[in-house]
Amino acid sequence: MAERRPAGTLVGRGLSVSFGPLTAVDGVDIEIGPGECVGVIGPNGAGKSTLLNLLSGAVPADRGSVRLLRGSTEVRLDRAAARVRARHGIARLFQTARLVPDWSARENVELGVRTAGPAAWLEALGLPTSKRRAAHRARAAEEALARVGLVERAGFRSAELSLGQQRLVELARILVADARILLLDEPFAGLSRSAREVVAGLVAQLRDEGVGILLVEHDLSQIRKLADRLVVMDHGRVLAAGPVEETLADPEVVKRYIGDVELEIGGALEEPAAPAPQPVAEQRSGPPMLQVRDLRVFYGPVAAVDGVSFDVAAGEGLGLVGPNGAGKSTILRGVAGLLRASGDVELAEQPLGSLATPDRYRRGLAFVPQTLTAVVDLTVEENLRLSWLTGTRADRFAEALDRVGELFPEVLDRRSEQAGALSGGQRQMLAIGRALMASPRTVLLDEPTAGLAPGLVPIFADALARLRATGVAVVVVEHNLGLVRAACTHVLGLQAGRPVWHGPTERFDAAVAHEVFLGAQPDTTQEEQVHS
Amino acid sequence: MTTIAPAAPARRDVSPARHWRWTQPGLLLTGGALVLLIDPGPFDLRVITLVVAYAVAATGFNVLVGFAGIVSIGNSVFLAAGGYAWALLATSYGPLVALLAGVVLAAVIAALAGVLLLRLRAYYFAVATLALGTLGTVVVRNWTAVTNGDAGITNVGYIKVFGLSGVPSIFVAAVVLLALVSFLQEALRTSPVGQAMIIGRYDPPAAEGIGVSVAYTRVVAFVLSAVTAALGGALIAQLAGGAFPDQFATTSAISLLVIPIIAGRGWRWAPLVGAAIVIALPEYLRFLAEYRLVVYGAAVVLVALFLPGGVHQVVRAVAERLGRSRG
Amino acid sequence: MRTRRIVHAAIAFLAATALAACSTGTDSSASPSAAPAAADAGITIGIDLPLTGASAAPAENMRKGFELRAKEINDAGGVNGTPIVLDIQDDAGDPTTGVALVDRFAQSNAVAIVGTYNSPVVLAQSEAVARAQIPQLVFAISSAITRQNNPWVFQTGPTDLGQIDGIVEWLKSRGLTKPAILTDTTAFGSGAKPVLEQGLTEGGLTPVLSDTFAVDAADLSAVLLKAKQSGADHVIAWTVGQPYATLAKGAQQVGLGLPIIGTASAADPAVARLAGDAADNLFFQDSVNREKPQVKEVVERWSAHFGGTVPSDALVAHDMLTVITDGLRAVGPDRAKLRDFLETYRNDTLLTGRIDGVWQYTPQNHVGLVGGNLVWKQYDKGTIKVVDGS
Amino acid sequence: MNQLIYFVIIGLGIGAVYALAGLGVVTLFTGSGLANFAQGDLMVLGALVAVSVTSAGHGYVAGLLAAVAVVAVAGVLLGALFTLPMRHRRMDVDVVIIGTLGVATTMTTLAGIWWGRQPQRLDSPLAGVFVPVGEMRVPAHYVLLLVGAAVVFGLVRWFHRRTDIGLQLRAVASSVPAARDAGVRIGRMLVVAWTIAALVGGVAGVLVASVLPIAPESALPLGVNGFAAAIIGGLANPAGAVLGGLVVGLAETLAGGYLNDTVRQSVAPLVLLVVLVLRPGGLLGRARGARTV
């Protein structure tokens, strides 16, 4: 086998790893040849980043092999630590830039220049000869920075650079290290259009120079531009692989990637157990339970979400949809008071703006964070009680517990086990159960089905429907449009922190979805907005 | 290729290539010369010398805390190593041998302890080093054959330079040593070794991701802290005219810990400034009589809690204020 | 380029220094210090005590003693009309600080240094004291200090040697022959340990056990049990103040049933307070005889001033200041003259020592109270009583 | 044989002293992720308050209550002091260490000024009562110490496991972000954690003061021993603190009894180092070490 592939190919075979009960990557085979760019796409929780960690060595694989082909010979890297693989020329870019903020761009780049131990020590002793080496390092750094077009920023503290520039500095670091294999984790996330172009151009250059590149990315336009082959992952497995266009055309892929699992949901809702979201009609007239006006949410000084407004009446459901980095979760955290926000937020005509998170919860706001943020050291029941404590306490603990029990019996069966021991799905049920414990008037859910088996999705749709039926207003951030369609009365489409589409769910058809998800993203100067 | 508009207005180059490495040693030597010219009273000179000695000792600790981000409460052991090595060897084998022996002894202990303990998490390592320090004191106390126990070793002489005698001679030697270690500190900071330490502290995964062995850099930092501590210990022994267990007890380790943090972790002036605060301040607070330690303790708490950057933070703020007002 | 040249220069300079440093000085070159004139403000006397740290408790007693005595003297019009001023400083039991304080006192116009308490600190200070040429009267009892023969350092005594002579003689008079030696792990005990072993052996009393104990231990019964099983017929315990209480309680626990012989500081009121009648048959030779009329007066003044009983430490401190001020009266505030005077000093009316006890210095002897001068006492039902034969 | 029994009882008593000191450290750590090097001073404060109250003629119980009250106030103040900066940023380990060490210096000195530096002992309610072991007698207070340690441990455990405040404390200690998402009032919980830890320290101080003469300077050794016990057991686990304390106490006493005092002095640090080298998380601790909030 190995002989036929060109030297410098990175080969992963049968890679698998599980975190507790959750199998993040499950028997994946992947190859990255020199001068080849392999795109990897897939819904959240599909295991893309984990795969990348397995290849870079940041996470040791439970099973499977990683080999670097060297002509006729090969280097086995299965047990090699990240630093060893790095020395073999396997470089990796984290989702968020990892620079030393107090250092200049040049210093950060210089880190990439490999210096042999003794030489490094001579330099540490400050011997005159070391000046030459230092100068050489600096020159190499300058050149690399020149290539990424940042040479005149070489002296800046990297904290003063924009996110895009920081990303470029990281790429420059990889340039000086002259990596042969490059693992990129969403390198375009949160960059302005111009920044995206620069980065894309650079990646293309590297590829043409013979660097093998693994590109994990949501932005399909970039994938189309850069990738030679495409790997679509779902639930830790390779769903499809092959030339980019064919693979993208594959209807199954489209469905999965946009996450449209309508049929399954439909099936679930036809079951008698689940009442269709009828009450909505009556309560449509009702006053808005949650009213958000001109919301701006900040990370530090920058607004990650800008000018978002919506109403949700009792029993209504609003779905926030859009590509990664659109600021959906940010909106929820802003409403919950977990991030600094401006604009008006009213819960049942009470302004929440000035209140701290606990007080907002007290008043009937419930927030279900993205998966796995249960307090893992506490038991299931303790987690539920915690949420009951911090909620409205409208009902007695026992009652609330029963309500969760009838919705998610399997969670309550494990009430005395540690939350950490639950499976992904059960944790998500627990998360929603916690929201219920608070007897809230409005529930904010952040990706309740992220990384769940499709079979579980209907259960959550059902849960949301029941929730609304009790007159609770629901706001849900969701990639799975099937769930959105089934559980929401309205949809708010977002891109880059700005609303791009708002309307009743019926009108949110495939075309709109396609536009919202795959359409060209608007340019924005706020590149920092996806610090999240 | 298009470039991206700067997010911030152009500032001066902050990269170390622009730092003249020898300015600090130069300033230190000149400062030392000035002090000798002014010729302060014996008490003041002794306190100043003690400050310099502790600055020497704390330079490595500044590297440990500031670069590698490791907290040790056990570095009194290395002070003791240097101090006793001096006390035992200086008069018979000369100062260089004595200093060298102390440094080697300390380095060996640090390497062993580091390899065994540095995998521990922060608090665990801190307390483990505390135990190491206690153990060291017990050994020094009871190994009377070598250390003469609590009575200590007296008449240990002092390093004689430029035909000076007494404290002035120790002072000059201390200043020269401080200049030397300061030069090395700066050289280290800008060298791959030091940069590896810093990235390893700041972001271990990223460090490993670019081929840095974090474990190795941590041990190196610990050994370096031991080396300068040994040098400082030798100077302290000379100043005290002897080596005694109480001199290198936990309190001295705590002083070493407070020095870089109160002055600003990793700042190249931190050892001297911190030592001035930790050693000189209590001496000149004596007019407060019994309340001086109250004031000192409170000061440490407030700085730790509300001024995490230490003195350096203030200096920086002032500098930037000035810079802005100028341009 | 320029940079490199500078670096070269720096290295060359450092190397040169290193070579120049190739000698270890041991001199204490005498730089004669100007004798301080009696400032109108008063005559400053430097007081050096470990007011914080391990020895803080006895140091506090001594501070009170000094303050009381200074008040008495100044109320009586000071020294030849000039009031005395105490410059009380804390050395925290740290030699480095102690040495720095010597320079501090020398630099300020202190006429003499009184204290300190811990032998290591005194030993460390010796060189600086000689260089500064300022007389120092110390409480530390280690005979190692005596052996230094520093012309400027005077000890109150009795030194450990002095006390041991007294102990040997007393033990013989009682027919006790098999001592078990317990010394604490501070400088005080570990300094005395070898002296004790040697002194007793020379006195024909070979120790059957010699072990150590920690002063801050909660329970010392373990080591006492060893003493009990060692076949000793008495225990000699060498420590300062409070630990004697812990020892006494430990003895009670293990049913030791042997006499415990302690140092003068076993008279510390803390012992009776902490141990109660567990301290019975704890014997020690006190440097103070509370039957003395002078002592009685001071005791009254003390209880008026501070309340409670006077610790022996405080009475010794009281004496130390008396000695210095006697000197100042005789020769005025001149360090050198004061030193010379002290070598001729003799006084039998001090608080410490027997009724007829003499406090005396000679050029050969810088220890004020010698062994024979001590009073044997014993705890009895939580109070101290004088043992017959003193 | 009797001798061994005697040593074991004494050792357990001493161990209880360490365990009590360690419990305070652990209580704070499990409630806030902070390690407090001033725990010894809280104990000393409690002890000295109790001594002055009892010596003023009031009973042991009155002294205990007074001590608990005063120390609780101190705990609230310290909690507020250390919580303020943590609203804005996480606290580095070194900052916590020198911060609490600074508190220790201040408290020790103040105690010295207010109460003097003479060691004080608190008369045990069981003063003069002994448990005979052969011809030896163990003061009954050692038993009281053990019982006290057990009770304090039980109370702490009950508070953590069974009360809603305890539940929130554990949530904070487990993960501040998760707790914040769940709507727990972080700042308030941190103050509570400090107060509980102080209470434990106060009670411990009063109990200890009957076997160990307490002076302001006793604070550092007490705190350090407590830390040793806590770390040996695994910082995040009250049971660990008790276990660690007893282990050290026993080891020390037996070493002192059967070997010599030099060994006794080195036992505690040696045990600590050995345990940490073999089990970096402590005897009962999971691998998780320090957590900075």
Side-chain angles (χ1 to χ4, degrees):
Chain A
M1 289 293 283
E3 308 72 45
R4 280 196 280 96
R5 298 195 206 79
T9 309
L10 183 69
V11 183
R13 282 273 172 272
L15 293 171
S16 307
V17 68
S18 325
F19 306 119
L22 168 105
T23 303
V25 172
D26 188 358
V28 171
D29 298 341
I30 192 155
E31 276 179 32
I32 308 155
E36 173 186 46
C37 176
V38 180
V40 178
I41 64 170
N44 274 19
K48 305 185 296 292
S49 301
T50 313
L51 172 64
L52 203 140
N53 286 332
L54 291 178
L55 291 173
S56 72
V59 172
D62 296 345
R63 286 188 310 286
S65 72
V66 177
R67 293 169 301 149
L68 188 59
L69 304 188
R70 287 277 173 77
S72 56
T73 68
E74 64 174 26
V75 192
R76 293 196 65 90
L77 296 172
D78 311 351
R79 294 273 152 269
R83 64 170 182 282
V84 180
R85 304 194 192 194
R87 289 175 189 150
H88 280 96
I90 300 173
R92 175 267 166 80
L93 216 58
F94 291 88
Q95 204 159 1
T96 54
R98 296 281 193 89
L99 301 173
V100 182
D102 289 345
W103 284 4
S104 68
R106 185 191 298 110
E107 284 171 286
N108 274 294
V109 175
E110 284 181 10
L111 271 175
V113 184
R114 189 88 62 247
T115 320
W121 273 107
L122 286 181
E123 208 175 323
L125 291 174
L127 297 183
T129 55
S130 69
K131 284 280 166 202
R132 216 177 305 115
R133 219 173 282 101
H136 158 266
R137 259 209 332 281
R139 211 177 312 111
E142 297 272 356
E143 285 162 7
L145 284 168
R147 278 191 62 185
V148 303
L150 275 181
V151 65
E152 74 281 9
R153 302 270 166 266
F156 275 49
R157 288 176 61 238
S158 55
E160 293 171 357
L161 300 176
S162 73
L163 200 68
Q165 293 172 321
Q166 293 187 17
R167 181 60 45 80
L168 288 173
V169 171
E170 279 191 308
L171 282 165
R173 189 158 75 191
I174 284 165
L175 286 179
V176 293
D178 56 42
R180 305 317 301 156
I181 297 288
L182 193 44
L183 310 171
L184 304 173
D185 194 353
E186 302 202 11
F188 305 104
L191 299 196
S192 70
R193 167 160 296 165
S194 56
R196 284 202 296 271
E197 278 169 14
V198 180
V199 174
L202 204 57
V203 172
Q205 255 189 355
L206 287 166
R207 181 197 55 201
D208 301 342
E209 291 167 9
V211 176
I213 295 168
L214 183 78
L215 177 63
V216 172
E217 183 53 44
H218 278 93
D219 182 345
L220 289 181
S221 54
Q222 298 295 351
I223 292 281
R224 286 202 176 86
K225 203 185 307 171
L226 295 169
D228 308 308
R229 293 191 294 117
L230 183 61
V231 173
V232 184
M233 289 187 68
D234 197 13
H235 303 108
R237 301 178 163 283
V238 173
L239 182 69
V244 178
E245 287 312 328
E246 288 98 283
T247 320
L248 276 180
D250 179 339
E252 176 68 4
V253 170
V254 174
K255 205 171 84 180
R256 275 299 164 80
Y257 190 59
I258 302 179
D260 201 333
V261 285
E262 213 157 358
L263 306 173
E264 303 172 28
I265 294 285
L269 290 183
E270 276 153 22
E271 292 167 12
Q278 291 316 330
V280 181
E282 294 86 322
Q283 306 197 358
R284 190 73 200 82
S285 55
M289 180 63 81
L290 178 68
Q291 189 176 47
V292 173
R293 286 282 169 279
D294 187 31
L295 182 73
R296 304 182 78 226
V297 189
F298 299 86
Y299 283 105
V302 249
V305 167
D306 201 352
V308 171
S309 305
F310 56 82
D311 291 351
V312 191
E316 269 188 357
L318 175 70
L320 301 181
V321 300
N324 268 36
K328 310 182 293 294
S329 311
T330 313
I331 292 177
L332 296 190
R333 294 193 159 263
V335 172
L338 291 162
L339 287 173
R340 191 165 62 86
S342 74
D344 309 337
V345 178
E346 287 190 2
L347 181 68
E349 272 100 29
Q350 298 172 317
L352 299 180
S354 58
L355 298 178
T357 305
D359 303 308
R360 299 187 186 206
Y361 288 7
R362 213 31 105 240
R363 281 176 175 60
L365 193 70
F367 172 56
V368 180
Q370 203 161 8
T371 177
L372 306 187
T373 50
V375 186
V376 292
D377 294 354
L378 303 185
T379 68
V380 170
E381 180 162 359
E382 286 170 337
N383 268 292
L384 291 170
R385 182 163 185 92
L386 191 60
S387 305
W388 177 78
L389 279 172
T390 55
T392 60
R393 301 201 201 170
D395 316 296
R396 295 204 339 278
F397 178 64
E399 298 172 8
L401 206 57
D402 296 341
R403 204 165 50 239
V404 176
E406 73 191 36
L407 210 47
F408 303 120
E410 63 178 298
V411 170
L412 228 52
D413 294 345
R414 308 183 64 176
R415 61 164 65 179
S416 55
E417 295 176 41
Q418 287 207 329
L422 296 183
S423 74
Q426 288 167 325
R427 286 200 200 186
Q428 206 46 262
M429 296 179 190
L430 172 59
I432 296 177
R434 286 172 59 185
L436 292 175
M437 294 304 292
S439 328
R441 303 147 91 173
T442 300
V443 178
L444 313 170
L445 298 104
D446 194 352
E447 308 224 1
T449 67
L452 290 187
L456 287 173
V457 175
I459 302 178
F460 287 92
D462 175 33
L464 297 191
R466 290 168 180 247
L467 207 54
R468 285 170 44 211
T470 60
V472 175
V474 173
V475 181
V476 53
V477 167
E478 186 50 58
H479 273 102
N480 186 320
L481 293 188
L483 182 107
V484 172
R485 290 215 168 80
C488 298
T489 54
H490 294 68
V491 173
L492 176 59
L494 293 148
Q495 278 185 355
R498 298 233 176 73
V500 291
W501 192 91
H502 192 180
T505 311
E506 310 83 78
R507 304 230 321 277
F508 188 76
D509 52 28
V512 180
H514 204 274
E515 175 55 31
V516 169
F517 277 88
L518 307 180
Q521 302 191 9
D523 193 359
T524 158
T525 51
Q526 283 142 358
E527 20 199 48
E528 279 81 356
Q529 71 199 181
V530 195
H531 271 311
S532 48
Chain B
M1 164 179 299
T2 62
T3 63
I4 298 170
R11 294 264 182 83
R12 78 196 195 326
D13 192 328
V14 301
S15 60
R18 295 285 179 84
H19 283 172
W20 299 122
R21 286 193 188 144
W22 43 267
T23 41
Q24 188 180 17
L27 285 173
L28 288 169
L29 293 172
T30 347
L34 285 178
V35 170
L36 281 185
L37 286 180
I38 298 164
D39 183 22
F43 173 67
D44 303 303
L45 183 62
R46 189 176 283 277
V47 173
I48 297 172
T49 314
L50 199 57
V51 168
V52 179
Y54 264 95
V56 172
T59 305
F61 207 89
N62 189 34
V63 170
L64 185 70
V65 179
F67 293 8
I70 302 167
V71 183
S72 154
I73 321 179
N75 279 39
S76 50
V77 176
F78 309 127
L79 285 176
Y84 274 92
W86 176 270
L88 290 169
L89 303 176
T91 44
S92 31
Y93 298 94
L96 294 185
V97 179
L99 285 176
L100 208 63
V103 165
V104 171
L105 177 58
V108 170
I109 301 174
L112 292 177
V115 169
L116 281 178
L117 300 177
L118 271 169
R119 62 206 183 101
L120 299 177
R121 300 294 195 76
Y123 285 126
Y124 291 74
F125 180 75
V127 176
T129 49
L130 185 58
L132 196 64
T134 324
L135 212 51
T137 317
V138 174
V139 170
V140 169
R141 275 231 158 82
N142 297 285
W143 195 11
T144 44
V146 175
T147 63
N148 192 23
D150 266 279
I153 306 172
T154 48
N155 307 328
V156 298
Y158 57 86
I159 188 164
K160 223 165 149 41
V161 289
F162 306 135
L164 292 163
S165 71
V167 179
S169 173
I170 306 176
F171 171 74
V172 171
V175 170
V176 172
L177 271 178
L178 183 58
L180 178 61
V181 291
S182 306
F183 175 81
L184 290 175
Q185 175 183 233
E186 192 62 9
L188 176 72
R189 191 177 71 77
T190 58
S191 78
V193 182
Q195 297 192 324
M197 281 178 195
I198 296 173
I199 181 89
R201 173 252 181 96
Y202 176 78
D203 186 343
E208 295 274 328
I210 60 174
V212 169
S213 166
V214 176
Y216 171 73
T217 53
R218 285 164 64 87
V219 174
V220 168
F222 194 48
V223 169
L224 292 182
S225 76
V227 166
T228 62
L231 292 175
L235 291 169
I236 293 168
Q238 298 169 40
L239 275 171
F244 308 89
D246 305 347
Q247 200 171 7
F248 305 117
T250 309
T251 46
S252 62
I254 293 174
S255 306
L256 275 184
L257 173 59
V258 176
I259 285 173
I261 295 173
I262 206 168
R265 282 165 271 176
W267 183 31
R268 58 173 173 170
W269 290 101
L272 188 57
V273 174
I277 297 172
V278 172
I279 304 301
L281 186 63
E283 281 303 324
Y284 292 105
L285 280 179
R286 281 185 177 278
F287 66 90
L288 291 171
E290 55 197 342
Y291 283 92
R292 77 192 172 108
L293 286 181
V294 179
V295 174
Y296 172 68
V300 171
V301 178
L302 294 179
V303 171
L305 293 187
F306 302 104
L307 203 63
V311 177
H312 189 202
Q313 197 175 338
V314 181
V315 174
R316 217 193 242 157
V318 172
E320 277 175 12
R321 185 72 45 76
L322 292 177
R324 232 177 270 112
S325 63
R326 245 196 259 100
Chain C
M1 213 42 235
R2 183 151 150 282
T3 314
R4 185 190 299 185
R5 212 167 50 246
I6 302 290
V7 174
H8 279 310
I11 290 172
F13 175 69
L14 295 178
T17 326
L19 291 177
C22 270
S23 79
T24 307
T26 48
D27 60 345
S28 54
S29 60
S31 59
S33 58
D40 320 345
I43 304 171
T44 308
I45 300 175
I47 307 284
D48 174 7
L49 288 171
L51 290 166
T52 61
S55 318
E60 187 179 53
N61 294 337
M62 296 190 71
R63 198 190 78 236
K64 290 181 177 172
F66 287 127
E67 283 166 348
L68 181 64
R69 182 55 177 152
K71 187 170 176 302
E72 293 169 5
I73 292 171
N74 289 334
D75 292 352
V79 173
N80 307 336
T82 327
I84 62 168
V85 181
L86 300 188
D87 179 9
I88 303 180
Q89 296 301 346
D90 170 26
D91 64 26
D94 170 34
T96 321
T97 317
V99 177
L101 280 178
V102 171
D103 284 349
R104 179 192 167 92
F105 291 133
Q107 190 175 325
S108 71
N109 57 1
V111 64
I113 302 175
V114 181
T116 186
Y117 186 89
N118 306 80
S119 300
V121 182
V122 175
L123 291 169
Q125 288 172 324
S126 176
E127 199 177 324
V129 168
R131 197 181 304 117
Q133 302 196 326
I134 178 169
Q136 180 185 28
L137 176 54
V138 304
F139 179 72
I141 71 165
S142 162
S143 49
I145 300 171
T146 326
R147 281 196 299 278
Q148 275 190 329
N149 293 323
N150 185 329
W152 295 87
V153 176
F154 297 80
Q155 287 177 277
T156 57
T159 62
D160 39 25
L161 273 177
Q163 297 199 31
I164 290 165
D165 296 344
I167 291 174
V168 171
E169 147 199 338
W170 186 77
L171 288 174
K172 286 185 170 156
S173 73
R174 297 229 156 185
L176 296 170
T177 57
K178 294 205 292 298
I181 303 176
L182 303 182
T183 51
D184 74 24
T185 51
T186 67
F188 185 84
S190 54
K193 186 176 165 72
V195 187
L196 268 168
E197 289 164 355
Q198 193 191 0
L200 288 169
T201 320
E202 286 168 356
L205 308 169
T206 321
V208 294
L209 172 76
S210 179
D211 203 344
T212 59
F213 61 91
V215 290
D216 60 355
D219 186 289
L220 294 174
S221 54
V223 71
L224 285 160
L225 195 53
K226 268 198 275 180
K228 182 182 180 186
Q229 292 160 344
S230 68
D233 56 10
H234 64 286
V235 175
I236 300 176
W238 215 258
T239 183
V240 176
Q242 171 270 117
Y244 281 110
T246 322
L247 280 167
K249 291 179 99 61
Q252 188 186 34
Q253 289 174 34
V254 301
L256 180 65
L258 303 175
I260 303 178
I261 291 93
T263 65
S265 77
D268 189 323
V271 178
R273 192 174 71 247
L274 297 176
D277 58 5
D280 289 6
N281 77 29
L282 165 58
F283 296 81
F284 61 93
Q285 38 186 354
D286 195 350
S287 52
V288 178
N289 179 347
R290 292 169 192 266
E291 305 308 313
K292 274 192 178 179
Q294 312 92 302
V295 176
K296 289 200 166 119
E297 292 170 26
V298 175
V299 169
E300 282 161 19
R301 278 199 295 274
W302 175 280
S303 47
H305 206 271
F306 299 109
T309 51
V310 197
S312 300
D313 311 332
L315 293 173
V316 177
H318 191 281
D319 276 353
M320 292 166 84
L321 213 47
T322 312
V323 173
I324 294 296
T325 43
D326 287 353
L328 292 174
R329 279 205 191 77
V331 299
D334 178 304
R335 291 169 179 170
K337 291 212 192 96
L338 180 59
R339 189 208 80 83
D340 300 343
F341 171 84
L342 285 177
E343 284 196 333
T344 66
Y345 186 74
R346 184 183 194 286
N347 187 337
D348 56 7
T349 62
L350 289 170
L351 306 179
T352 51
R354 293 186 188 154
I355 301 283
D356 54 358
V358 182
W359 184 308
Q360 183 166 30
Y361 292 119
T362 69
Q364 292 71 35
N365 166 35
H366 279 208
V367 180
L369 278 176
V370 284
N373 263 310
L374 301 176
V375 190
W376 278 96
K377 297 190 178 171
Q378 164 182 23
Y379 277 92
D380 180 25
K381 310 273 175 299
T383 62
I384 300 176
K385 71 169 194 207
V386 176
V387 181
D388 325 331
S390 300
Chain D
M1 191 54 215
N2 280 338
Q3 188 175 344
L4 179 61
I5 299 172
Y6 176 80
F7 283 150
V8 168
I9 300 179
I10 297 287
L12 290 177
I14 308 286
V17 174
Y18 298 159
L20 284 164
L23 271 172
V25 175
V26 170
T27 326
L28 180 63
F29 188 80
T30 47
S32 70
L34 295 182
N36 176 15
F37 281 75
Q39 187 65 26
D41 289 272
L42 290 169
M43 295 173 68
V44 167
L45 181 62
L48 292 179
V49 169
V51 168
S52 10
V53 170
T54 44
S55 55
H58 311 285
Y60 187 83
V61 179
L64 180 62
L65 294 179
V68 167
V70 173
V71 176
V73 174
V76 173
L77 294 178
L78 283 180
L81 179 66
F82 274 78
T83 307
L84 273 176
M86 286 171 61
R87 293 182 185 286
H88 314 303
R89 53 181 167 82
R90 57 184 282 279
M91 242 179 179
D92 295 340
V93 174
D94 48 8
V95 167
V96 175
I97 291 179
I98 73 162
T100 49
L101 280 174
V103 170
T105 312
T106 314
M107 286 183 74
T108 304
T109 321
L110 283 178
I113 293 169
W114 291 334
W115 279 283
R117 295 206 154 71
Q118 304 304 324
Q120 311 282 346
R121 187 186 232 114
L122 186 60
D123 287 334
S124 160
L126 302 178
V129 186
F130 291 92
V131 180
V133 179
E135 72 282 10
M136 292 158 286
R137 310 185 297 164
V138 181
H141 191 82
Y142 280 91
V143 183
L144 182 59
L145 270 175
L146 277 165
V147 176
V151 169
V152 172
F153 168 69
L155 283 175
V156 168
R157 194 178 171 74
W158 171 83
F159 180 81
H160 271 136
R161 299 276 155 202
R162 296 268 167 277
T163 66
D164 288 337
I165 303 280
L167 176 60
Q168 298 183 55
L169 282 178
R170 275 156 58 216
V172 175
S174 165
S175 155
V176 168
R180 188 174 282 122
D181 283 353
V184 176
R185 299 175 193 271
I186 307 294
R188 207 171 289 180
M189 284 308 128
L190 289 175
V191 176
V192 173
W194 272 94
T195 316
I196 305 294
L199 286 177
V200 173
V203 176
V206 173
L207 284 171
V208 171
S210 299
V211 293
L212 190 61
I214 294 292
E217 271 70 19
S218 323
L220 187 60
L222 271 177
V224 169
N225 290 335
F227 244 101
I231 291 273
I232 288 175
L235 203 41
N237 186 339
V242 175
L243 178 63
L246 295 181
V247 166
V248 174
L250 266 180
E252 268 192 11
T253 313
L254 293 177
Y258 288 109
L259 301 165
N260 62 49
D261 187 71
T262 310
V263 184
R264 191 196 61 77
Q265 294 172 62
S266 21
V267 153
L270 275 178
V271 170
L272 184 99
L273 289 172
V274 170
V275 166
L276 285 185
V277 167
L278 298 182
R279 295 208 45 166
L283 287 177
L284 299 189
R286 280 156 301 174
R288 170 194 289 136
R291 188 193 298 100
T292 45
V293 179

